[in-house]
Amino acid sequence: MKYIVPVQQQTSLPIEGDERFFPVGRVFCIGRNYAAHSREMGDDPDRDPPFFFKKDATCVTPVAFSEKSSIRYPLATSQLEYEVELVVALAKGGSQLSIDEAEDAILGYALGLDMTRRDLQAQAKKKGRPWEVGKSFDESAPISPIVLKSAELNAKVRKAEIGLKVNGDVKQLSSVDHLTWSIEEVICKLSEVYELRPGDLIMTGTPENVGPVIKGDEMFAWIEGLGDIRVRVTG
């Protein structure tokens, strides 16, 4: 097959302790899945059902555990904000999944940042437009290697501390068991509106106290029992 323009390279993430890679298909994100973050953004977590948006696979920037990486400050914004999140990688797909099927679909877990052009997102929300310009842009999804699922990791991840520091100061600190919708519930709800596929990533939501970073800032993010990443914002 001949193409009229160059074919984009497949975005992939390394598997921790494995020579194979995970081919990234779609990147799904769930909005306001921690009650305190939902409140700080002006929503009622007891009333609002989960909602989803997507980032393009090309937004994913692989970052190694415990090593310094960098992302560029993006175009067209003066309010770049961090959101630390647990990321789920799917090995199986399907639609209308049950809780057991959702759990079985999980390949493993990663640590990610949902970087957001908050000013552009706010402008889009005010005008009733899609969020894509605020969420889906180059290097907006720094993500760690995927750690393959095990019974031990499953138990740890669901109660793990999740947090983020900027220049050494704690900004976000919570626990994964504070998710409004659990990992499996998120997968089930998503499978009601999309037929999921192997290779999909799901960013499961961020805790409260999101905030801005500027050029030169260094973010340190972690999920207890999974790993940590360091990401510097460059010019």
Side-chain angles (χ1 to χ4, degrees):
M1 185 178 293
K2 295 182 179 180
Y3 295 95
I4 197 168
V5 297
V7 177
Q8 290 190 5
Q9 184 175 355
Q10 169 68 54
T11 300
S12 60
L13 288 169
I15 306 294
E16 184 74 358
D18 196 306
E19 64 182 12
R20 294 170 295 177
F21 285 78
F22 180 83
V24 177
R26 298 169 295 182
V27 183
F28 293 101
C29 307
I30 180 170
R32 301 172 189 174
N33 199 27
Y34 284 79
H37 174 57
S38 184
R39 293 188 186 99
E40 78 176 347
M41 301 302 286
D43 284 345
D44 180 352
D46 298 321
R47 183 191 65 194
D48 293 334
F51 68 94
F52 302 98
F53 57 93
K54 288 194 290 185
K55 291 178 181 277
D56 191 83
T58 59
C59 299
V60 173
T61 298
V63 294
F65 282 128
S66 303
E67 294 182 11
K68 289 187 177 182
S69 302
S70 64
I71 59 172
R72 294 163 293 174
Y73 198 94
L75 299 171
T77 185
S78 58
Q79 192 178 358
L80 177 66
E81 295 196 356
Y82 52 78
E83 297 186 7
V84 62
E85 308 205 10
L86 172 69
V87 182
V88 177
L90 298 188
K92 297 180 180 180
S95 58
Q96 303 290 337
L97 299 180
S98 67
I99 289 291
D100 288 343
E101 289 170 334
E103 197 283 328
D104 187 53
I106 298 170
L107 174 72
Y109 306 97
L111 169 60
L113 299 178
D114 172 13
M115 302 304 296
T116 302
R117 295 191 286 199
R118 192 72 69 196
D119 47 355
L120 301 188
Q121 182 194 28
Q123 291 169 19
K125 287 166 59 178
K126 186 176 180 180
K127 295 182 178 181
R129 295 175 178 172
W131 290 8
E132 184 176 15
V133 69
K135 287 289 190 177
S136 187
F137 54 91
D138 292 343
E139 300 182 323
S140 64
I143 297 178
S144 76
I146 294 166
V147 181
L148 295 175
K149 180 180 69 175
S150 67
E152 182 181 6
L153 183 61
N154 274 348
K156 285 182 178 179
V157 160
R158 280 155 177 73
K159 297 183 179 180
E161 180 180 272
I162 180 172
L164 181 139
K165 298 179 181 180
V166 177
N167 302 329
D169 296 329
V170 176
K171 299 296 185 181
Q172 292 186 277
L173 186 63
S174 189
S175 175
V176 174
D177 62 6
H178 290 173
L179 285 169
T180 302
W181 300 86
S182 72
I183 295 167
E184 286 78 17
E185 287 173 334
V186 168
I187 296 171
C188 289
K189 290 292 184 181
L190 190 57
S191 76
E192 292 175 2
V193 290
Y194 293 96
E195 182 168 353
L196 300 178
R197 307 169 189 159
D200 286 341
L201 292 176
I202 303 173
M203 304 188 79
T204 59
T206 193
E208 67 274 19
N209 297 324
V210 299
V213 285
I214 60 175
K215 294 176 184 178
D217 283 347
E218 183 175 282
M219 296 171 287
F220 175 80
W222 73 93
I223 295 177
E224 186 180 16
L226 189 63
D228 60 74
I229 56 176
R230 293 180 181 270
V231 181
R232 185 178 179 84
V233 181
T234 64

